[in-house]
Amino acid sequence: MHITIRLQFAKHVVSFSDIATAIGQAGGDIVGIDVISSSKTHTVRDITVSVLDSKHADVVVDTLRKTAGVKVIHVSDRTFLMHIGGKIEVKSKIPIKTRDDLARVYTPGVARVCTAIAEDPTKAYSLTIKRNTVAVISDGTAVLGLGDIGPYAAMPVMEGKAMLFKQLAGVDAFPICLDTKDTDEIVQIVKAIAPAFGGINLEDIAAPRCFEIEERLKQELDIPVFHDDQHGTAVVLLAGLLNALKIVDKKIEEIKVVLTGIGAAGIACTKMLLAAGVKNIIGVDRQGAIHRGVQYDNPYWNEYAQLTNPENISGSLSDVIVGADVFIGVSAPGILKVEDVKNMAKDPIVFAMANPVPEIDPELAEPYVRVMATGRSDYPNQINNVLCFPGIFRGALDCRAIEINEEMKLAAAQAIASVVTDEELSETYIIPSVFNNKVAERVREAVMKAAYKTGVARKDDMMFR
Ligand SMILES: NC(=O)C1=CN([C@@H]2O[C@H](COP(=O)(O)OP(=O)(O)OC[C@H]3O[C@@H](n4cnc5c(N)ncnc54)[C@H](O)[C@@H]3O)[C@@H](O)[C@H]2O)C=CC1
Ligand SMILES: CC(=O)C(=O)O
Ligand SMILES: [Mg+2]
C-alpha cells in the first residue's frame, strides 16, 4: 500500500536526504514527493511512500516522528484519499441558465408536471428519476465481514455500491444508511421512501432479520426488492460453480458441498444450489454442522436442517469437510485450515468469499486446490455480487419488473457464466472480470427475457414478446 505523509522539517536541523535515508532504513520506498510550501526556515512536503501494510506504515511514520527537526503533520493512505468528502455526487441533466429555464424546471412550470403525475401515478416513470433509481439500504449490521459497525461506518460501502451501479449499468443508486435495527421501522421507512425509486437493494443487513425485512417489503411494494448479500451472492456463486465444475468434470448432482456461514449469503447460496441440482450440501456455522435432531433458536436453521445434510452428519468443519468436492465460505476469516483442504476429494474447489479477509489465505490453499476463488479484487476469480446487482437491476428497471424472481436470478447466473467461453475457461478464469463490459449487458438481456416469460414485466416491449 501507499501512504502519503505530510511533514514539516526545519531546514537548518535536517535535510531532505536525511529524511529519505530514515524512510529507506525503515524499509519504505519513496514513490512521490510534492513541495507544499517553503520558507527560509521550514519546508512542508507530501511524501508518498510504498509500505507493506498498515503496521509497516506505523514503523515508517514513527521513524520520522523520532527524527530531529521533523514534524509529521498528517498521514493519509491512497484508499482514504479516495474517500475524502464521499465518493458520489448528484448532477443535473440540464443547466438552468435563464429565468425561462427556471420557470420550467421549477415553479410555476413544474406544477403542471406534478398535476399530470397526480392524475396518473404511472407517469412517475416517465417524468421523474424513478425509472432509473435504486435505493441502497443498510442498517450497518453486517457490513462486509466486519459485522455490526453501524450506519455511519456502513456508508463507504454503500457509496461504493452506488458507484458500481452507475459505472457498470448506468443506474442512479442512492446510499441510505438507517439508524435503526428495528424490523418494523425499517420496513416502514423503506415503504415511505419508495416513491422516488424504481428498485430497492437491501445491503449488509444481518440475518435472520434481513429475511423478514425483505419478505415484507416484497409483499408491500410493487417495485423489485432484492437483498444483494443473499441473492446477488447466490447468483454469482452459481455462475462460478457451473464453470468450475466444467474444469474438474464433475456433475452438479453428484458433488458434496460444504458451506460455512449460515446467514444471509449462506442460506440464499444454499437454496440456489439446491435449485440448480446439488443434492449433498452441508451447512456449518459457529456450532458446527447444521443437522436434524437439534432445536435451533434460529428458525431459519431448523428449516435449513430439513433441506440439507442428507446423511444428517454432525461435527466441526474439519469433520464434515472430509471428502467434499466444494467448499464455499461466506462466514469469517481464516476458518478453513490447509489440513481441511488436504482432506477434500480430488480436485478441490474452494470459494473463500468472506470479505475483506477470506476463510483461507489463497496462497496457503493454492498448492492443494484445483480451483480457488475469493470475493476480493486482488486475486484471480473474484466471486462477488458486483457481477450481478448492476445488470440484474438494469434489466428489472428497463422492463419495469414488479419483482426479481427465481427465474430472473437463474437467468442472471447463466448469463454471467456464459461470458467465459469454453476456450477461455481455466483454473484461474472461471468468472468474468468486473471490468468485462459484456457482463451487465448479458445479465440485463437474460433477466428481461425471464421477466417477460414469467409475466412480471410491466413495460410493453415488442423485442421480448
Ligand atoms: N463475495 C461476496 O460477494 C459476498 C461475500 N459476503 C461475505 O460473507 C460473509 C457473511 O456475510 P452475510 O451472510 O451478509 O452475514 P451474516 O451476518 O448474515 O451471516 C454470517 C454468518 O456467518 C457465521 N459465522 C461467523 N463466524 C463463523 C465461524 N467462525 N464459523 C462458522 N460460521 C461463522 C455467523 O454466525 C452467521 O450465521 C461476510 O464476510 C461477507 O463479506 C457476503 C455477501 C457477498
Ligand atoms: C460483497 C458484499 O456485498 C459483502 O461482502 O457484503
Ligand atoms: Mg454486502
Side-chain angles (χ1 to χ4, degrees):
M1 61 184 264
H2 288 163
I3 53 168
T4 300
I5 309 162
R6 177 161 295 183
L7 48 81
Q8 184 190 56
F9 61 94
K11 285 178 172 172
H12 58 285
V13 181
V14 62
S15 69
F16 182 72
S17 66
D18 296 333
I19 292 168
T21 306
I23 292 172
Q25 280 171 352
D29 191 10
I30 297 179
V31 294
I33 305 156
D34 290 295
V35 179
I36 304 303
S37 64
S38 188
S39 69
K40 275 190 183 153
T41 54
H42 288 86
T43 298
V44 177
R45 292 193 187 189
D46 275 353
I47 304 179
T48 302
V49 183
S50 170
V51 290
L52 297 172
D53 51 27
S54 48
K55 272 195 191 142
H56 185 204
D58 291 344
V59 171
V60 172
V61 174
D62 276 352
T63 306
L64 289 173
R65 284 206 170 100
K66 285 179 194 148
T67 306
V70 173
K71 183 179 163 201
V72 174
I73 299 171
H74 62 72
V75 183
S76 46
D77 70 24
R78 293 204 305 170
T79 304
F80 273 77
L81 288 175
M82 287 186 104
H83 289 252
I84 285 175
K87 303 192 289 291
I88 55 169
E89 63 181 0
V90 173
K91 270 195 179 159
S92 303
K93 289 182 187 167
I94 30 174
I96 306 168
K97 287 187 179 155
T98 64
R99 289 213 153 261
D100 187 44
D101 294 339
L102 180 62
R104 283 188 287 146
V105 302
Y106 189 48
T107 184
V110 72
R112 283 197 300 118
V113 183
C114 298
T115 309
I117 299 171
E119 283 165 3
D120 176 4
T122 63
K123 289 210 167 103
Y125 279 99
S126 53
L127 294 171
T128 74
I129 56 174
K130 186 174 178 75
R131 71 169 138 186
N132 203 45
T133 52
V134 167
V136 179
I137 309 268
S138 183
D139 61 358
T141 52
V143 181
L144 309 176
L146 304 172
D148 184 356
I149 58 171
Y152 292 95
M155 271 301 282
V157 173
M158 305 313 137
E159 289 181 17
K161 295 266 176 191
M163 291 170 82
L164 292 161
F165 263 115
K166 187 68 182 179
Q167 179 167 329
L168 301 175
V171 172
D172 294 306
F174 291 73
I176 299 172
C177 290
L178 305 177
D179 193 5
T180 173
K181 296 178 194 175
D182 183 90
T183 299
D184 291 336
E185 208 174 7
I186 293 174
V187 170
Q188 275 314 112
I189 293 169
V190 176
K191 271 175 63 185
I193 64 167
F197 298 102
I200 304 291
N201 181 95
L202 302 173
E203 191 67 46
D204 294 351
I205 300 177
R209 250 165 352 95
C210 61
F211 303 122
E212 186 187 339
I213 292 170
E214 188 192 36
E215 270 322 304
R216 282 175 54 185
L217 286 170
K218 271 169 116 170
Q219 278 165 23
E220 297 186 32
L221 290 174
D222 68 347
I223 52 174
V225 177
F226 181 84
H227 183 196
D228 179 39
D229 298 287
Q230 291 184 58
H231 314 300
T233 314
V235 162
V236 184
L237 163 75
L238 179 60
L241 186 62
L242 291 174
N243 280 346
L245 289 176
K246 287 187 202 162
I247 289 175
V248 297
D249 198 20
K250 292 184 186 178
K251 291 198 174 71
I252 198 161
E253 303 79 23
E254 292 170 6
I255 54 172
K256 174 179 170 184
V257 179
V258 170
L259 185 149
T260 58
I262 312 307
I267 291 179
C269 288
T270 302
K271 288 188 175 164
M272 189 102 191
L273 293 181
L274 290 171
V278 172
K279 301 264 182 292
N280 187 1
I281 179 162
I282 302 170
V284 181
D285 210 276
R286 292 177 211 266
Q287 298 89 332
I290 308 274
H291 59 287
R292 293 173 293 287
V294 180
Q295 190 59 33
Y296 296 105
D297 290 341
N298 181 340
Y300 295 94
W301 286 5
N302 291 319
E303 186 198 337
Y304 192 93
Q306 298 303 321
L307 298 172
T308 58
N309 200 347
E311 290 164 31
N312 206 28
I313 299 169
S314 57
S316 67
L317 171 59
S318 300
D319 297 330
V320 301
I321 201 155
V322 177
D325 300 284
V326 179
F327 168 84
I328 295 162
V330 272
S331 50
I335 64 165
L336 184 70
K337 305 294 168 221
V338 169
E339 254 341 275
D340 299 329
V341 180
K342 286 188 190 166
N343 286 333
M344 289 176 71
K346 187 169 176 279
D347 293 333
I349 296 172
V350 171
F351 292 172
M353 293 159 58
N355 286 318
V357 184
E359 282 75 4
I360 187 165
D361 182 340
E363 269 110 39
L364 292 179
E366 208 76 76
Y368 309 102
V369 294
R370 180 78 189 270
V371 183
M372 175 81 213
T374 69
R376 296 166 58 117
S377 325
D378 48 358
Y379 288 104
N381 293 334
Q382 183 181 21
I383 299 194
N384 191 298
N385 47 33
V386 62
L387 286 164
C388 173
F389 64 79
I392 213 166
F393 268 101
R394 183 71 276 157
L397 290 172
D398 287 352
C399 68
R400 218 167 285 170
I402 50 170
E403 61 176 26
I404 294 174
N405 61 27
E406 296 310 308
E407 290 79 359
M408 290 156 82
K409 290 183 223 163
L410 191 61
Q414 285 160 347
I416 295 167
S418 77
V419 174
V420 180
T421 63
D422 286 349
E423 294 71 49
E424 290 170 328
L425 187 67
S426 77
E427 281 81 352
T428 52
Y429 188 47
I430 56 160
I431 196 90
S433 149
V434 174
F435 295 104
N436 187 324
N437 54 18
K438 283 188 202 142
V439 177
E441 185 48 36
R442 230 179 250 193
V443 171
R444 169 187 176 270
E445 262 179 41
V447 163
M448 284 176 75
K449 259 187 213 156
Y452 281 105
K453 200 166 156 206
T454 53
V456 298
R458 281 176 290 193
K459 193 169 173 195
D460 206 17
D461 191 327
M462 295 306 287
M463 257 183 67
F464 289 93
R465 291 274 166 222

